[in-house]
Amino acid sequence: MPGSEPSRRPVRIWLYTLALLVVGMVALGGATRLTGSGLSITEWRPVTGMVPPLSAADWAAEFDKYRDTPQYRILNQGLGLADFKVLYWWEWAHRQLGRFVGLAFFLPFAWFWWRGDLSRRLLLGLLGLGLLGALQGTVGWIMVASGLQPGMTAVAPLKLAIHLTLASLILAGLVWLAAGIRPAAVSPLASARLRRTALALPVLVLLQIFLGGLVAGSRAGLVYNTWPSMDGMLVPPADVLFAVRPMIENFIDNHALVQLNHRLVAYLLLAVALLHALDARLTLGAGGAARRAAGIAGLALAQAGLGIATLLLAVPLHAALTHQVFAMAVLVMAVVHARLAYGVRAPLRGRPEAAVPFGYEGLAAHHA
């Protein structure tokens, strides 16, 4: 029977490789959005869409479809075929990478399952991530379709935020599973307070990513380009924050409130990270968990600085993309820290294996 002993190291390498690919998807998706390329392909063709236009007639047909979109008629009237091709290749590359990530998940998954290398817990987790991935692809098309509706020149902010958050959830799930299949046991932190705070950090990061998606989708970063004030006001007045009717839509479409919420959760996340790092240091001394907590606080501080710089510079492509990708780094480290804070059981069977080199996770051995 194949797979008489679980092979944990290849599974860890596979999961972390998938995590890197997801980060690449987020980066390419951000570039696609920032270059205004996301609506250049107007059809969802999961299989035949793999083949790009190969002839002048094919390109002309694709261009005609784009010229029938509101984005072209309202924003890009007069755009030439050469410029359209630039937009098209960005979106095509994003979709192709999505297909590749799907294959990179399902083919090794089937192999490891057949070999018996996946425990029941890991198998269920991976099946859940597979379903999330399928949902992500569907939401991606729903998001694009929202931008093709009459009067729209970009995708709906809420759908963009959901799309980005789903990608972040998949990344968090991959890292959580990978960090949980270490070659040796890791004891949970003795302090329940530290464990709970460690788990709260990735939740706050995910919330902040969602709010960042709303800022990006509504282009709220192009206004109030001052800090710490918002054009001279610490908090804009209520009639500005809730100017849209119905009131609930202010949380999605009102630039002032969308940006303020993103700022406030950033302050909350930074405060929790710093207090957690101090608490871990005072409670645990200079152990690995305290160093991980300090690392998260440092990353959160750096990410806040990137966010401020991006805002002050009025969201240039390079700053916005760096800010978005760095958010994934903060999320990865927060998830690793949370997973190890709750402990990892020793392998039930199989020979000891060397850990996949992963510097931040390597601090696990000395958390007390």
Side-chain angles (χ1 to χ4, degrees):
M1 176 181 174
S4 59
E5 289 187 349
S7 184
R8 304 171 67 83
R9 179 179 171 87
V11 174
R12 282 167 55 82
I13 293 174
W14 168 56
L15 290 174
Y16 278 127
T17 301
L18 281 173
L20 285 174
L21 286 172
V22 172
V23 173
M25 273 292 293
V26 171
L28 187 53
T32 300
R33 175 185 61 80
L34 289 164
T35 55
S37 306
L39 301 178
S40 57
I41 300 179
T42 60
E43 297 174 326
W44 189 32
R45 296 175 294 170
V47 178
T48 58
M50 295 174 62
V51 181
L54 299 176
S55 66
D58 292 340
W59 277 112
E62 289 295 324
F63 192 26
D64 283 342
K65 294 173 187 174
Y66 177 67
R67 286 191 294 186
D68 195 38
T69 65
Q71 185 188 64
Y72 175 82
R73 292 194 297 267
I74 297 172
L75 288 184
N76 291 335
Q77 189 79 25
L79 183 80
L81 179 59
D83 291 327
F84 167 71
K85 287 182 178 181
V86 174
L87 301 180
Y88 185 96
W89 284 122
W90 275 113
E91 175 64 9
W92 183 84
H94 183 53
R95 296 191 186 194
Q96 287 300 104
L97 184 55
R99 293 182 175 98
F100 179 77
V101 172
L103 288 175
F105 176 84
F106 284 108
L107 294 181
F109 171 74
W111 170 253
F112 288 128
W113 192 358
W114 178 76
R115 281 177 48 86
D117 292 334
L118 305 177
S119 66
R120 179 180 176 83
R121 184 189 299 264
L122 182 57
L123 177 62
L124 291 175
L126 288 169
L127 287 172
L129 288 179
L131 291 175
L132 265 184
L135 177 62
Q136 171 72 337
T138 303
V139 169
W141 171 245
I142 293 172
M143 176 188 71
V144 171
S146 73
L148 300 174
Q149 299 302 309
M152 296 291 290
T153 60
V155 301
L158 181 59
K159 293 179 174 64
L160 174 66
I162 292 172
H163 189 56
L164 176 61
T165 306
L166 277 176
S168 303
L169 276 171
I170 293 169
L171 174 62
L174 290 168
V175 173
W176 180 277
L177 292 177
I181 52 173
R182 294 178 57 82
V186 176
S187 300
L189 297 181
S191 168
R193 181 184 63 254
L194 286 174
R195 292 198 303 271
R196 287 194 296 267
T197 312
L199 188 60
L201 283 169
V203 174
L204 282 173
V205 175
L206 285 168
L207 173 60
Q208 181 67 339
I209 288 171
F210 173 78
L211 294 173
L214 290 179
V215 170
S218 64
R219 301 188 179 183
L222 297 177
V223 296
Y224 299 105
N225 299 107
T226 59
W227 186 86
S229 71
M230 295 178 67
D231 290 352
M233 301 171 288
L234 189 60
V235 176
D239 60 341
V240 172
L241 294 175
F242 298 100
V244 179
R245 293 290 182 271
M247 182 175 292
I248 190 67
E249 292 189 5
N250 287 281
F251 292 90
I252 299 170
D253 294 321
N254 185 319
H255 291 168
L257 185 59
V258 167
Q259 191 187 123
L260 177 64
N261 288 338
H262 193 48
R263 290 188 185 208
L264 292 177
V265 175
Y267 301 149
L268 175 62
L269 173 60
L270 185 57
V272 172
L274 289 170
L275 289 173
H276 178 63
L278 178 61
D279 190 12
R281 177 71 180 188
L282 295 175
T283 304
L284 306 173
R291 294 198 296 272
R292 291 198 310 270
I296 293 172
L299 286 172
L301 187 60
Q303 175 68 342
L306 276 171
I308 293 168
T310 302
L311 180 68
L312 295 179
L313 294 172
V315 198
L317 190 150
H318 65 280
L321 198 54
T322 302
H323 185 53
Q324 181 169 314
V325 174
F326 205 81
M328 300 301 111
V330 179
L331 177 62
V332 166
M333 299 313 179
V335 169
V336 169
H337 179 57
R339 181 66 186 89
L340 297 180
Y342 278 81
V344 176
R345 292 183 296 181
L348 296 177
R349 56 194 178 103
R351 295 184 299 270
E353 300 182 43
V356 178
F358 189 69
Y360 189 80
E361 186 184 317
L363 296 175
H366 308 290
H367 58 64

